[in-house]
Amino acid sequence: MWQPEPGWERLPTGPSSVGAWAADIGGHRVVVKRFERPGPHDATVLDDPGHPAYWRRDVDVAAS
């Protein structure tokens, strides 16, 4: 499983992500955010595109 590099700074996140980290990569400050599809025991709102906690929102925005 993917793990952040040593020295990356953990950032606070909401229920729609596995975690986020800030890092200096190639002289640039970047944020790396990891997502995971909700499982059968997670809140159903995570799968609702109209809900603020929708898990794919950041992915869809980045891809547009």
Side-chain angles (χ1 to χ4, degrees):
M1 180 194 311
W2 179 88
Q3 293 293 318
E5 295 292 324
W8 286 18
E9 175 189 352
R10 180 79 188 234
L11 302 172
T13 61
S16 62
S17 74
V18 178
W21 296 264
D24 292 312
I25 299 176
H28 298 281
R29 188 77 168 156
V30 299
V31 172
V32 176
K33 190 170 185 181
R34 186 164 175 249
F35 297 92
E36 182 174 58
R37 179 182 298 275
H41 301 293
D42 290 321
T44 57
V45 297
L46 296 176
D47 275 326
D48 178 2
H51 193 278
Y54 177 53
W55 79 278
R56 278 195 55 95
R57 184 168 325 287
D58 291 348
V59 175
D60 293 342
V61 168
S64 68

